[in-house]
Amino acid sequence: MGAVTGEDRNVNACLDCGTTWRAADLYKTLEIIKHLTQETLDLSLARDRLYLNDFMVEIGPYLDSISKAEEEGNKMIKEAESKKGQAAASGFGTGCLMSIFAACGGGLTITVPMSLIVFTGIFISLLCFLIGASIDAANSKVTQEEIQGAIKKAEKIKQEADIDFNYRIKDFIARHSIN
């Protein structure tokens, strides 16, 4: 074994094959192996180095799949939550537009007394704002349901990744024995 050091890297290198690794990463990997398989490896032994290599080749991708499942789930939840602000603005905007159109339409009637026009305009404006508030409430409910659906889907994705990972670990332990 040789060591390569510098400001941006501090790694070990195998003088036979050229493979490089960081001591901290190797230590973490050995701790993960000990936690998952109950095996304490002695890397001075060829069989333990082979076990480590097999673990990294067979189980390493599944470790990544768990973090990718979490990232995918978090992304789905964030996308659903981002719709929350968009949905809230649509009902209010609809109510405002309806009240503006109602106010313009009320001002065109010349033969009706002015007090009736004002009263009708206020009434229609309030009605339009209530319609907008109803739309907001409906949109908010739909958005909350979408967020809850995204949370459930994210949990399912993570759970499936965990189940697959646990199956792979059990299979690895059954096929690889140090003793």
Side-chain angles (χ1 to χ4, degrees), residues 81-126:
E81 288 175 341
S82 72
K83 293 178 183 177
K84 194 174 191 175
Q86 297 168 356
S90 68
F92 180 73
T94 302
C96 287
L97 285 175
M98 289 173 64
S99 66
I100 290 169
F101 287 128
C104 291
L108 295 176
T109 310
I110 299 173
T111 59
V112 179
M114 190 59 145
S115 61
L116 185 60
I117 293 172
V118 172
F119 175 76
T120 305
I122 292 171
F123 176 75
I124 291 174
S125 293
L126 287 174

Side-chain angles (χ1 to χ4, degrees), residues 16-123:
D16 289 333
C17 69
T19 301
T20 60
W21 67 91
R22 290 196 223 192
D25 293 341
L26 179 60
Y27 177 77
K28 288 177 189 174
T29 303
L30 292 173
E31 288 298 310
I32 290 170
I33 290 172
K34 184 177 180 179
H35 174 74
L36 295 174
T37 66
Q38 309 306 313
E39 297 287 353
T40 302
L41 301 181
D42 177 1
L43 296 182
S44 67
L45 302 173
R47 68 184 169 107
D48 287 5
R49 290 190 303 272
L50 181 60
Y51 188 93
L52 171 66
N53 185 58
D54 289 346
F55 183 88
M56 294 305 298
V57 168
E58 295 178 32
I59 303 299
Y62 296 99
L63 285 169
D64 290 338
S65 69
I66 290 175
S67 62
K68 286 179 183 176
E70 287 176 355
E71 289 173 10
E72 181 183 344
N74 290 337
K75 181 180 175 185
M76 288 176 7
I77 293 168
K78 284 182 182 179
E79 286 175 2
E81 288 175 341
S82 72
K83 293 178 183 177
K84 194 174 191 175
Q86 297 168 356
S90 68
F92 180 73
T94 302
C96 287
L97 285 175
M98 289 173 64
S99 66
I100 290 169
F101 287 128
C104 291
L108 295 176
T109 310
I110 299 173
T111 59
V112 179
M114 190 59 145
S115 61
L116 185 60
I117 293 172
V118 172
F119 175 76
T120 305
I122 292 171
F123 176 75

